[in-house]
Amino acid sequence: MVSASPWCLLGRAAQGPDALLIDLDAGCAERTREQIAPGDLARAVAAREAAAPTRWVWSDTPAWYDALLAAGVRVERCHDLRLVHVILARSARVADPGPLQAAESWDRPPDAPAPGPAEQPGATLFDLETAAAGSSPVPQDAQSALEELRRQLEAIAGADEPTALRLLAAAESAGALVAAEMRAAGMPWDAQEHDRILVESLGARPRAGALPARMEELAQQVRGALGDPHLALDSPPRLLRALHRAEIPVDSTSKWELSAHEHPAIAPLLRYKEMSRLLTANGWAWLDAWVREGRYRPVYVPGGVVTGRWASSGGGALQIPRRLRPALRADPGWLLVSADVSQLEPRVLAAMSQDPAMAAAGAGRDLYAGIVESGIVATRQEAKVGMLGALYGGTSGDSGVLVRRLRVSFPAAMGLVDDAAAVGERGGTVSTWLGRSSPPPDPRWLEAQREANLPEASAAAQERARRSARDRGRFTRNFVVQGTAAEWALSWIAALRLSLSRLPDAGADDAAEPSGPVFARRAHLVHFLHDEVLVHSPAAQAEDAAAAIRDAAESAGRLLFPGSAVDFPLELAIAERSEAK
């Protein structure tokens, strides 16, 4: 087990709508079993939490926790069987993954969330009232959950480095709690400011089906310059044909390719495309769909990327454009505390590899500036380009030259990623610090390598195989670092979440109801993006929240890399509106 906290499994009873609470001992054997009617579940869970911190074992966090949060009940810890199953069934550190891999019903992603009005033709704003955050397709009954828990604990116990896998299971499950809580609390969002930004950028809100005035003006300029008065600018094939008729030799309608040409149509077309992105991704339809009562509630997907990074399956929380950040505004009497980690992935690489020179370059300062001061490169930009090349496999041009310099100065760090790339090029699997493993090569990759090794293989087949091998090497090179950085970040938000939950109530009697009964009176997380967190805090508690963010970052570093000289400095700000990147 991960900790000394009592474990309690929560699942559906075999018959009827009741739930079963099953107390488990250290050997995963039942001690007590209690059947709970649906209307009593929140009260029963709250009573257990009040008696002693409990680790709740359940099939899938949103399937159970969303209703508890709505009822005002928060839990301290959980073990998310679906998320942990995905990790263990694929981990190279598990000696015998067969039983887990055979349990195919647990190897599924969560269902997609119900679409909001912007995504569902004919839907009205009222449809959002009952839109689910996604129901779990994995087994909900208590017996299936208990059997899966036993498989998982046996796999961890028999694994190489079981302590690391236990920590990863706990961190991934804590991330699931954070995701559910951030959706329940919502991100404070100023709809009027959002509308002002849209009007300033696009013009007044148009009638349904029409373009804003400024976009329509630009569209007419493009059509006139291309000699096609009826051109549909949002149709790439038609636009490409119109560009060719105007003798603009482009292979795509990408910004980078268009920018290389001079023609009266190019400048207004680029402005039109920029406005179109804003209108499509975060325009008035998005505002209607995702912002209600001063809160933006996107759908986060913990572990949605193979490296362990999060994804989003609704609302686009991971792609909020900078120009809309002013709409992220604290409630009256509250503040936003934002923080992001400086150069997280390079620092994680330094800690993983125990490279003393690289650790020294970033000790208490900007890592890229430290690389410049060490004389390896001349400018901070060169240091950044070289490090990105090291992490993502840059081998040509300026990046390749800078990577070669880094190999000389940071041999341990560069050796770690070079070795990971070599494993990938051979078709092997690599693992993160705590044990999340990369997926195996896909069948097309294997077929390309097989064809290249045939006696009659053509030069083209051999080149395809070499190219695909290099591509896979770049993937595994980055996988070990990005995945470990994701583990550090999960550890950070897990520690921060617990610290914030232990702050005293600080909200006024009329604390904002949109945050829900659990979060209306205390600082709480409202956003997380890879290396960035955002906390919504009563003004009187903002400094305490900032201290909790710093302490949690230090704690994450000690937890993953005990004794390491690598530090993880933060850029932190407290303001009414978001100052985060």
Side-chain angles (χ1 to χ4, degrees):
M1 297 265 177
V2 178
S3 75
S5 300
W7 284 51
C8 186
L9 185 142
L10 182 58
R12 300 295 178 200
Q15 301 293 331
D18 291 355
L20 286 179
L21 300 184
I22 304 176
D23 285 305
L24 303 172
D25 64 17
C28 201
E30 292 185 37
R31 293 190 302 188
T32 62
R33 179 181 285 233
E34 181 180 0
Q35 193 154 331
I36 307 292
D40 296 329
L41 182 60
R43 186 164 50 251
V45 171
R48 295 291 184 102
E49 282 286 322
T54 301
R55 190 175 298 274
W56 295 91
V57 180
W58 48 40
S59 56
D60 183 56
T61 297
W64 294 95
Y65 198 31
D66 287 358
L68 294 175
L69 288 169
V73 176
R74 179 188 175 281
V75 304
E76 187 160 304
R77 293 179 173 86
C78 83
H79 181 94
D80 187 304
L81 291 168
R82 182 184 62 82
L83 288 175
V84 176
H85 175 95
V86 172
I87 292 171
L88 297 179
R90 293 162 172 73
S91 177
R93 294 185 183 173
V94 172
D96 181 15
L100 287 165
Q101 293 172 353
E104 295 180 353
S105 59
W106 289 94
D107 194 20
R108 302 179 190 172
D111 287 345
E119 303 166 275
Q120 188 176 33
T124 69
L125 199 58
F126 297 103
D127 294 318
L128 203 60
E129 296 288 350
T130 56
S135 56
S136 172
V138 298
Q140 297 286 311
D141 64 285
Q143 187 57 40
S144 295
L146 184 56
E147 291 169 359
E148 174 62 18
L149 176 63
R150 288 170 175 159
R151 284 190 292 266
Q152 292 185 10
L153 295 181
E154 288 175 5
I156 292 174
D160 179 26
E161 300 186 51
T163 300
L165 279 178
R166 289 190 185 100
L167 178 55
L168 179 54
E172 188 85 341
S173 299
L177 294 177
V178 170
E181 290 174 359
M182 290 196 304
R183 180 169 173 82
M187 197 182 304
W189 199 264
D190 187 340
Q192 289 185 336
E193 177 65 12
H194 188 145
D195 178 73
R196 185 197 67 76
I197 294 169
L198 292 177
V199 171
E200 181 181 83
S201 302
L202 307 175
R205 182 171 185 168
R207 67 181 187 279
L211 288 176
R214 291 184 184 174
M215 286 185 66
E216 184 59 42
E217 291 172 6
L218 290 170
Q220 293 300 340
Q221 291 180 36
V222 175
R223 291 171 184 137
L226 294 178
D228 189 341
H230 304 294
L231 176 62
L233 270 64
D234 296 316
S235 171
R238 294 181 182 179
L239 177 58
L240 194 59
R241 287 196 294 269
L243 292 168
H244 290 167
R245 285 195 297 271
E247 299 183 351
I248 303 173
V250 291
D251 295 323
S252 73
T253 60
S254 72
K255 172 183 175 181
W256 312 112
E257 193 163 0
L258 290 171
S259 299
H261 298 274
E262 292 186 7
H263 188 278
I266 297 299
L269 177 57
L270 290 175
R271 290 199 298 274
Y272 176 91
K273 288 169 68 69
E274 182 180 357
M275 290 183 181
S276 180
R277 281 193 295 272
L278 176 61
L279 178 65
T280 302
N282 300 100
W284 288 282
W286 181 94
L287 188 58
D288 290 344
W290 292 102
V291 179
R292 301 291 302 280
E293 299 177 339
R295 290 294 182 272
Y296 162 42
R297 290 185 169 88
V299 182
Y300 298 95
V301 183
V305 180
V306 293
T307 59
R309 276 189 168 188
W310 286 18
S312 174
S313 68
L318 307 185
Q319 292 143 350
I320 301 173
R322 179 184 289 273
R323 73 172 72 183
L324 288 179
R325 282 300 181 109
L328 216 174
R329 182 176 186 175
D331 292 333
W334 289 58
L335 292 170
L336 295 172
V337 187
S338 59
D340 62 87
V341 190
S342 301
Q343 303 106 25
L344 176 57
E345 289 188 5
R347 291 176 188 277
V348 162
L349 174 57
M352 293 172 69
S353 63
Q354 302 181 52
D355 191 307
M358 192 168 176
R365 60 182 171 180
D366 179 278
L367 174 63
Y368 299 140
I371 293 175
V372 172
E373 290 179 21
S374 67
I376 301 170
V377 295
T379 68
R380 187 182 185 280
Q381 181 61 22
E382 285 184 340
K384 184 175 182 179
V385 169
M387 190 55 64
L388 291 176
L391 294 174
Y392 291 91
T395 57
S396 60
D398 292 341
S399 178
V401 172
L402 296 170
V403 167
R404 288 192 288 274
R405 294 183 192 174
L406 294 178
R407 283 197 178 95
V408 174
S409 301
F410 305 137
M414 294 301 298
L416 188 149
V417 289
D418 286 345
D419 289 347
V423 171
E425 289 178 7
R426 295 194 299 269
T429 294
V430 296
S431 296
T432 61
W433 191 249
L434 296 182
R436 191 190 304 266
S437 295
S438 61
D442 63 37
R444 288 178 300 177
W445 190 94
L446 295 171
E447 179 62 19
Q449 303 307 312
R450 187 191 68 78
E451 289 182 359
N453 284 293
L454 294 175
E456 65 277 15
S458 66
Q462 292 175 348
E463 177 56 29
R464 281 195 301 271
R466 283 193 292 269
R467 187 166 56 249
S468 63
R470 288 194 298 268
D471 288 345
R472 179 163 175 80
R474 282 192 288 269
F475 166 71
T476 52
R477 167 189 295 273
N478 183 246
F479 183 95
V480 293
V481 181
Q482 186 182 112
T484 303
E487 292 165 355
W488 183 94
L490 279 175
S491 302
W492 182 32
I493 63 172
L496 174 58
R497 170 183 175 269
L498 290 179
S499 294
L500 295 177
S501 73
R502 290 164 184 162
L503 294 175
D505 282 356
D509 290 340
D510 60 349
E513 286 304 317
S515 293
V518 177
F519 304 107
R521 296 176 172 274
R522 181 183 294 115
H524 54 275
L525 276 158
V526 294
H527 186 54
F528 165 60
L529 176 60
H530 309 325
D531 59 358
E532 174 188 345
V533 297
L534 188 66
V535 171
H536 193 210
S537 171
Q541 213 169 61
E543 290 294 344
D544 291 335
I549 292 172
R550 294 188 189 95
D551 291 345
E554 293 179 6
S555 174
R558 291 194 302 270
L559 183 66
L560 263 67
F561 309 113
S564 173
V566 176
D567 57 357
F568 295 89
L570 305 175
E571 295 180 11
L572 195 144
I574 301 175
E576 180 186 358
R577 296 182 188 270
S578 171
E579 299 293 334
K581 64 184 180 183

